[in-house]
């Protein structure tokens, strides 16, 4: 029988190595998770952290009220962070500023390598902003999609309750000559 602490550490390292397109050094760093409580269910492959959860690994930082990690064997299938809001930040490239995001729920899907920010989602880099009800980022294709909230007007689904918003700051370099 494997030591539960060792199994938990192994499972967490799997999350770290595949969460985002992080700086190369991030996935080689130790992962530290702090919370008020943790529960490991080896049979279902689920680890639940609750209460002021803070996950740090290199430049990756996640803060949430609750973090759930779901595994199939030793392979991470999904990670879910919930909060009011849950916060994410990471420096994904040495030549780019820190990327920050917040949402009521952050889902990472390991197989498809997608991150979904749901519920008052906001993705920010420098002063540039992308916000909406749902923002999805595909790590493999480096594509972002967003949508507003569904309509609350009966019979008018084409009228979203919330539209997406994108704010792009001008380039400081000015126009090319």
């Amino acid at each position: 029988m494997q030591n539960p602490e060792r199994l938990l550490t192994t499972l967490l390292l799997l999350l770290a190595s595949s969460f985002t397109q992080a700086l190369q050094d991030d996935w080689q760093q130790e992962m530290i998770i702090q919370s008020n409580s943790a529960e490991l269910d080896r049979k279902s492959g689920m680890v639940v952290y609750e209460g002021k959860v803070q996950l740090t690994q290199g430049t990756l930082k996640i803060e949430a009220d609750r973090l759930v990690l779901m595994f199939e064997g030793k392979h991470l299938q999904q990670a879910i962070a919930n909060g009011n809001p849950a916060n994410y930040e990471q420096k994904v490239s040495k030549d780019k500023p820190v990327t920050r995001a917040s949402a009521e729920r952050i889902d990472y899907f390991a197989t498809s390598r997608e991150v979904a920010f749901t519920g008052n989602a906001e993705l920010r880099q420098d002063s540039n902003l992308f916000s909406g009800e749902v923002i999805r980022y595909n790590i493999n294709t480096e594509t972002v999609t967003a949508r507003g909230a569904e309509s609350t007007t009966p019979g008018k689904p084409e009228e979203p309750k919330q539209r997406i918003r994108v704010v792009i700051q001008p380039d400081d370099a000015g126009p090319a000559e």
Side-chain angles (χ1 to χ4, degrees):
M1 182 178 207
Q2 195 174 26
N3 179 336
E5 288 177 6
R6 185 175 174 97
L7 176 63
L8 185 58
T9 302
T10 302
L11 297 176
L12 295 174
L13 289 173
L14 290 171
L15 169 68
S17 65
S18 60
F19 193 77
T20 65
Q21 231 181 353
L23 289 172
Q24 278 292 349
D25 293 342
D26 277 0
W27 66 271
Q28 295 171 341
Q29 303 293 321
E30 71 180 353
M31 179 185 291
I32 300 167
I33 298 177
Q34 296 178 338
S35 67
N36 292 343
S37 66
E39 183 178 327
L40 167 65
D41 182 340
R42 288 184 17 190
K43 216 174 210 183
S44 71
M46 189 180 303
V47 185
V48 179
Y49 296 93
E50 292 187 306
K52 296 184 182 179
V53 181
Q54 295 177 328
L55 179 150
T56 306
Q57 185 182 34
T59 67
L60 171 66
K61 292 180 176 74
I62 296 174
E63 293 179 341
D65 297 328
R66 185 172 198 250
L67 177 65
V68 178
L69 306 177
M70 291 176 269
F71 295 88
E72 190 171 298
K74 293 183 179 181
H75 302 286
L76 176 71
Q77 297 300 304
Q78 186 175 359
I80 304 166
N82 294 94
N84 194 18
N87 296 297
Y88 159 94
E89 82 173 44
Q90 187 165 33
K91 188 166 180 75
V92 295
S93 173
K94 287 182 182 181
D95 61 340
K96 297 202 186 237
V98 172
T99 298
R100 290 180 170 83
S102 64
E104 293 168 10
R105 179 176 169 138
I106 302 171
D107 287 88
Y108 170 66
F109 303 96
T111 306
S112 61
R113 295 196 33 91
E114 287 186 318
V115 182
F117 302 94
T118 307
N120 297 314
E122 199 172 274
L123 185 63
R124 187 181 293 271
Q125 192 175 66
D126 260 350
S127 298
N128 300 318
L129 170 71
F130 208 116
S131 66
E133 184 62 19
V134 178
I135 300 171
R136 289 184 82 88
Y137 175 60
N138 185 302
I139 296 165
N140 293 328
T141 62
E142 296 184 32
T143 56
V144 176
T145 58
R147 68 174 168 79
E150 298 299 319
S151 172
T152 57
T153 308
K156 296 193 177 190
E158 67 281 353
E159 292 181 21
K161 182 171 73 171
Q162 174 194 14
R163 296 168 47 112
I164 66 164
R165 182 171 181 224
V166 179
V167 178
I168 302 171
Q169 297 299 322
D171 186 1
D172 289 340
E177 294 186 27

